[in-house]
Each structure stands twice: as structure tokens, then as C-alpha cells.
Amino acid sequence: MSQGLNMVVCIKQVPDSAQIRVHPVTNTIMRQGVPTIINPYDLYALEAALALRDKMGGTVTVLTMGPPMASTALRKALGHGADRAILLSDRFFAGADTLATSYALTAAIRKVGETTPVDIVFTGKQTIDGDTAQVGPGIARRMELNQLTYVSAIPAIDREAGEITVHRRAEGGVQVLKTKLPCLITMLEATNELRRGSMPDMLRAERADIETWNAEAAGVEDIGKCGMKGSPTKVSKVFAPQPRAEKAAMIEGDTAQAKALSALDVLTTADPKLIQVIARQTAAA
């Protein structure tokens, strides 16, 4: 096993969720005029990979699937210090759901690993446009990689033993997990802070020729598993929730006790049975 780590970070260019609008007639997301950003969760994965490279050596390859404009996201990743950027862009990839996306990305990651085996695949925990958290685990399943999700820290890697130790945030605490490399890691939010790009990296990113792979170049064996043909999931409708008509009630009172009594009066007026429930609970106590 080589000393350096060969890492692939899967990122996605997504619409800025703060400026997404839904068409009032067609109920579809209006993407025209909406700025795009790198999926925020993927930035934590990128920084985790860069930090490991700084500590142990190796390379960081960023990989995304999308139209030619997605190269903007790859340039930003290069500007932050990534070593290599690959764009999967082909009409056969259009309309892919998470199943088809994971299939295409898996083929590309295997292609990257033909020269030097991939030690770690990084993704964010999910994307802000789909929110499924399925692509990372889908890649792990297809590549038969050990899967570590919701990782908050990577305290140790033993290259001799080929083992990695991570902290995984779980309900009620933190799990300390150890597994063999290679593996796939989905990084949790707020676990690190993406570094500022250095001037040499930013200049290199602007001048870089982004590697663009079509389905054939990526090593995709079955086109039928890509894009809309390979996507069993269909989105029938996207809609914006209707604003609520009722307004919040202001609770009056000079003291905390007075405000509590006023709030109780409002609640019991809205639901008269609430008094009986409170009485039964009080008697039981």
C-alpha cells in the first residue's frame, strides 16, 4: 500500500437554495437566473480530503456529473487546492436519479483507480436540492466499499494496517468506528472549515483544462442504467407550500406567571378538552 492516499471527492453543482423559485403555473423549479453553488455539504468532504493529503500525502480528485456549466464548481474546488478535476458530461446522463447517478459515478471512480487504487471516496452527507443522502451509500454498495456515514472527524489512519478510525455522530452521542481501507465516507456539516484558496491554486484553477468524460470515456458499460432510462424514480410534482393565513398571537402579561396563565387561557379556549387532560395528568401525578 502506497504511503500517500488516493482520494476522490464527489461534488455537485446545485441551485442556491436561498434563491430557488417555483413556477406558479407549472409547479416546476425555475432554474433560469438562479445562481449555482457547490453543494455546501460537499465542501466539508473536500476539506477533509485536503487535510488528509496535507498530513499523509497523496492526491485529491474532484468528480462531478452534470452539464458543461458544472465545470465552474470543479474550478472552485481546484482553487481551494484539489489536484485534479473530472466532469462527467453526456446526454446519456441527463435526468438521472440517485440510482443512475451512483452508477455513472461508480464507473468514473473505477476509471480513476485504474492507475492508482482509490483509498477513500468522499461525499457530503446529502445535497440541498435532492436531500436523499442516497448517492454516497449507492456508490459504496456498487463498489463494495466499507461505508462510514455522518462522519464528524477522522482522528487516525494506519497505513501499515490499512485501517481508518472515524468519529460518527449518532443519536445520543458519538460512535468511534474503525474499518479497513478502501472505504467511502460521507462528511457531516460543521465538522471543519474550508481553507481559503492560495493564489497559485486559484491561478492554476483558472488556467486548467477540465477533464471532461462522456459515458464511453468514464467506462460506463451499460448506457441503459444511466440518465432517465436508468432512473426508476420519477418526480411528478414540485410545489411551494402555501403561506399560512393565521397570525401568531401575542401573549400579554407583566410577569412570567401572568404570561403563562394567558397562554393557558388561549390554549384552552382553542381546545376546551385540554382542561380535562391537564386535570387527569395532575391527579395522576
Side-chain angles (χ1 to χ4, degrees):
M1 187 177 292
S2 61
Q3 280 301 110
L5 292 167
N6 185 22
M7 295 168 284
V8 175
V9 183
C10 297
I11 67 173
K12 185 179 182 182
Q13 187 177 58
V14 296
D16 187 343
S17 60
Q19 301 188 49
I20 285 181
R21 295 171 297 161
V22 176
H23 195 284
V25 178
T26 62
N27 287 319
T28 58
I29 294 177
M30 299 172 62
R31 297 181 181 270
Q32 290 186 345
V34 178
T36 57
I37 58 175
I38 297 178
N39 177 52
Y41 297 124
D42 297 343
L43 298 178
Y44 300 108
L46 176 59
E47 175 56 32
L50 293 173
L52 285 179
R53 183 200 60 189
D54 292 348
K55 180 180 179 181
M56 307 191 68
T59 59
V60 174
T61 299
V62 284
L63 173 67
T64 193
M65 186 179 80
M69 64 178 291
S71 62
T72 303
L74 294 175
R75 289 191 188 278
K76 290 181 179 178
L78 288 173
H80 285 290
D83 302 291
R84 183 184 181 189
I86 300 172
L87 169 64
L88 299 187
S89 189
D90 195 311
R91 61 186 180 85
F92 293 113
F93 298 148
D97 67 359
T98 56
L99 188 70
T101 298
S102 66
Y103 178 78
L105 290 175
T106 295
I109 294 169
R110 285 178 173 151
K111 193 74 173 180
V112 171
E114 286 181 356
T115 306
T116 304
V118 175
D119 298 297
I120 305 175
V121 178
F122 279 98
T123 71
K125 71 165 187 175
Q126 63 195 71
T127 59
I128 62 173
D129 57 349
D131 279 329
T132 62
Q134 293 175 350
V135 172
I139 294 171
R141 177 64 183 87
R142 292 182 184 279
M143 297 190 68
E144 298 183 350
L145 297 176
N146 297 318
Q147 175 182 294
L148 301 165
T149 57
Y150 301 102
V151 171
S152 58
I154 306 174
I157 293 182
D158 186 339
R159 292 297 282 155
E160 295 300 322
E163 294 178 338
I164 183 171
T165 302
V166 305
H167 292 174
R168 180 182 189 272
R169 194 175 302 171
E171 186 175 353
V174 175
Q175 298 173 341
V176 180
L177 305 176
K178 179 185 288 186
T179 190
K180 291 285 187 179
L181 296 174
C183 68
L184 180 139
I185 293 175
T186 72
M187 291 297 298
L188 202 61
E189 72 277 11
T191 52
N192 54 45
E193 184 175 350
L194 182 63
R195 65 193 62 191
R196 289 181 177 272
S198 67
M199 185 59 70
D201 282 333
M202 288 189 285
L203 291 174
R204 176 174 60 90
E206 287 300 318
R207 298 167 181 166
D209 291 327
I210 302 298
E211 295 181 57
T212 302
W213 291 357
N214 59 16
E216 182 180 0
V220 173
E221 296 179 354
D222 187 351
I223 292 297
K225 293 182 179 180
C226 296
M228 295 189 68
K229 286 186 177 181
S231 301
T233 306
K234 307 297 179 185
V235 178
S236 60
K237 183 179 180 181
V238 177
F239 63 94
Q242 294 296 323
R244 299 178 64 174
E246 63 269 23
K247 296 182 179 179
M250 294 296 295
I251 303 299
E252 305 292 340
D254 297 330
T255 65
Q257 183 178 9
K259 291 179 180 179
L261 291 174
S262 296
L264 183 61
D265 183 56
V266 171
L267 293 173
T268 53
T269 300
D271 185 4
K273 294 181 180 180
L274 185 60
I275 297 178
Q276 300 174 6
V277 174
I278 295 175
R280 287 196 299 269
Q281 293 180 344
T282 303

